[in-house]
Amino acid sequence: MDYVLLADEIATDPTNAGYSTMSDAEIAASLSEATIRIRQRVSIERLQAITIKTGVYTALRVAVATPETPAQLVALCQTTLDLANAKFPDIDLDNPSAIQMFGALRQYGIISAQQAAAIDALATARVVSRAEQIGLGEVVSADDIERSRIVPALDALRVRLANGYNAAVEALDAAATVPEWREIVAVIEAA
């Protein structure tokens, strides 16, 4: 566990989770809860399968074939059909053009919210926790939170101890006579 990274996450609270108002157990639960969707490109094969399964493909065909459908909407539906039949391997559903296209199809009632959600879900590769996203592993415990709170103090003591040791060695090396222990301790404490 990278306690320095964990302490920094808690101190800076970059996602505004409200760590400062939480107990250690609540912080651990918040960091360990899988809520962050990791997105991926979607294969055309999977896009075709979901559009057929959910009725989107048929709705697009009907809209294109209906004489009353406005020309711009026919063009949008035809573009979507062309996409579903594309020869390239995959699509980025997070691309602004793809978002706009599927949003417009939903707005005009060609596809339902459920159909749009099913298509969008194709791009979710997995859901991870904040802890995993920032490199702390999948799960953070309350003990990890407690430990992260003392690590900065321990690091400061390590530095002080190292500086004190180095100063004491320098004092010994410079001494003309053997110093008293209390003199060495005084050098270490002054560092």
Side-chain angles (χ1 to χ4, degrees):
M1 174 65 61
D2 184 337
Y3 293 110
V4 173
L5 178 61
L6 178 56
D8 184 60
E9 171 73 14
I10 295 167
T12 61
D13 196 1
T15 62
N16 297 315
Y19 299 137
S20 64
T21 63
M22 296 180 190
S23 69
D24 288 357
E26 290 170 329
I27 294 170
S30 176
L31 286 169
S32 299
E33 183 180 1
T35 58
I36 300 165
R37 296 181 336 161
I38 304 298
R39 305 282 285 177
Q40 66 183 355
R41 293 181 67 88
V42 176
S43 73
I44 295 300
E45 180 179 292
R46 289 180 65 214
L47 181 62
Q48 289 169 344
I50 200 73
T51 58
I52 291 169
K53 180 180 178 181
T54 61
V56 169
Y57 195 85
T58 302
L60 293 169
R61 287 274 182 220
V62 168
V64 167
T66 302
E68 294 82 25
T69 304
Q72 281 185 308
L73 188 52
V74 167
L76 178 62
C77 291
Q78 188 59 56
T79 299
T80 307
L81 284 168
D82 292 346
L83 176 64
N85 293 313
K87 300 296 183 211
F88 47 87
D90 56 30
I91 179 174
D92 178 2
L93 291 179
D94 294 326
N95 178 296
S97 296
I99 292 169
Q100 184 178 19
M101 179 177 66
F102 287 109
L105 290 172
R106 180 160 156 19
Q107 179 183 353
Y108 285 107
I110 302 298
I111 64 174
S112 68
Q114 293 81 9
Q115 290 168 320
I119 291 168
D120 185 65
L122 294 173
T124 300
R126 61 193 181 106
V127 181
V128 299
S129 67
R130 174 70 179 154
E132 188 173 358
Q133 182 189 37
I134 64 173
L136 294 172
E138 290 182 31
V139 178
V140 173
S141 70
D143 289 340
D144 291 329
I145 303 300
E146 184 178 343
R147 178 90 176 141
S148 76
R149 295 186 194 287
I150 65 167
V151 164
L154 290 175
D155 287 346
L157 283 174
R158 280 186 189 94
V159 168
R160 187 171 177 207
L161 181 60
N163 290 341
Y165 170 79
N166 291 335
V169 169
E170 287 175 13
L172 287 175
D173 290 344
T177 61
V178 176
E180 295 286 324
W181 177 248
R182 61 180 164 69
E183 295 170 326
I184 296 299
V185 170
V187 170
I188 292 171
E189 286 180 345

